[in-house]
Amino acid sequence: MLDTSHDTLPSSPIAMLLLGPAIASLIAAVAVYTFGWHHLLGPTVIWGFALLALSAGISRKFRSLAFTLWVFASAALAVAYPHALTTWAGTDPKTVIGPYVIVPLIQVIMFGMGMTLTFKDFARVAKMPKAVLLGVILQYTVMPVMGWTFAKAFGLEPEVAVGLILVGSCPGGVASNVMVYIARANVALSVTMTACSTLLAPLMTPLAMKLIAGTIVPIAFWPMALSIFKLILVPVVVGLLANQFVHKAVQVLLRVLPAISMLGICIIIALTIAMARDKLLVVGLALFGAAACHNAAGFLLGYSTARGLGMNKRDARTVAIEVGIQNGGMATALALNTLKSEVAALGAAVFGPWSAVAASVLASYWRRKADREGLTVEQPNPPVLKAG
């Protein structure tokens, strides 16, 4: 969990001191792999990404990458030591980890998202209906269809393909708000689009899954809708009401929730990968290719459609980021609890980290363009990234 106020932080020499050992560890990992010392590969990769994350976290310029690097370290831990992360849950980890670990973590994260919202965020729909409507329509059409398209193009087996479609059928991730801020795009529009797509999720996600993923495997609409209602809608609404009626207490909670959310999403990704590690090693390259293309299609079609319909560059960039970033935590929970498949959860585990990297690069590029174009951010206080 990061907040973009890193722009005001001084540079730290400690970041540079950590950077050297981090790079050395990753170079050592390449050497270890080359010479076949596979028992040393896991520790060197984990240590390398952890040091990079620490370095980025105290760096003024690269702090926005720290969360993604911690995700990579968590993923490396899961690949290297899967049984250490799952044996405590018994012979069928998904029956324990899904409902008793991942679901509560997602609910806490979504409660935190709700506490950052106000009723004004929804009233804003009346001020910018075209942009909000376009973003929501693209979110629930382009992304699930592109998930199916690239799953087929890369020859993903049914369970893995359904997982990628599931990611595409989820609402926007709250990380998009931070990326929009970094890009100097329309933060207010981003927050409203995320809020609206999230509230529509109990209807739109199972509908998209039924129509698109249902061509591959049977999808039960109402059980998925009920699961999303409990998993997403209730915590968001409770958080929204808390912010409305006990605002001072909420401000205290928001000081610690970002760190809790960051830890939570790292745990979710690590456990997801650990449960389906062997399958990931088989389909990993194809799944990564499909996820990267899926994410890029969201950015490209979001931007080009918005521009084609006459929206200005700032709002079009906002729509692109909103469409391209998905709520991977929600997809993971649905894969485990509704679809009962740890393999389907791999789509979110791969799509989420990659989309964070791609969105960071895109947002930084657009930020430089916005500076040249003289665009500024209307919202003075940067949003907080809670796990997308």
Side-chain angles (χ1 to χ4, degrees), residues 254-323:
L254 285 177
R255 295 174 187 173
V256 297
L257 270 172
I260 293 173
S261 297
M262 184 181 76
L263 176 62
I265 206 67
C266 287
I267 291 172
I268 290 169
I269 289 174
L271 291 174
T272 301
I273 291 176
M275 285 188 289
R277 180 252 197 187
D278 293 340
K279 177 62 71 173
L280 179 62
L281 294 179
V282 174
V283 303
L285 190 58
L287 177 57
F288 174 80
C293 291
H294 188 191
N295 176 235
F299 292 143
L300 178 62
L301 294 175
Y303 183 82
S304 59
T305 303
R307 289 291 287 160
L309 292 176
M311 294 175 62
N312 61 50
K313 290 181 180 179
R314 190 163 173 263
D315 289 350
R317 291 167 185 170
T318 304
V319 171
I321 292 173
E322 277 294 321
V323 173

Side-chain angles (χ1 to χ4, degrees), residues 92-115:
D92 190 7
K94 69 176 181 289
T95 62
V96 175
I97 290 174
Y100 299 111
V101 179
I102 291 179
V103 165
L105 284 174
I106 294 300
Q107 288 173 326
V108 168
I109 291 168
M110 298 314 298
F111 174 67
M113 174 189 170
M115 289 196 297

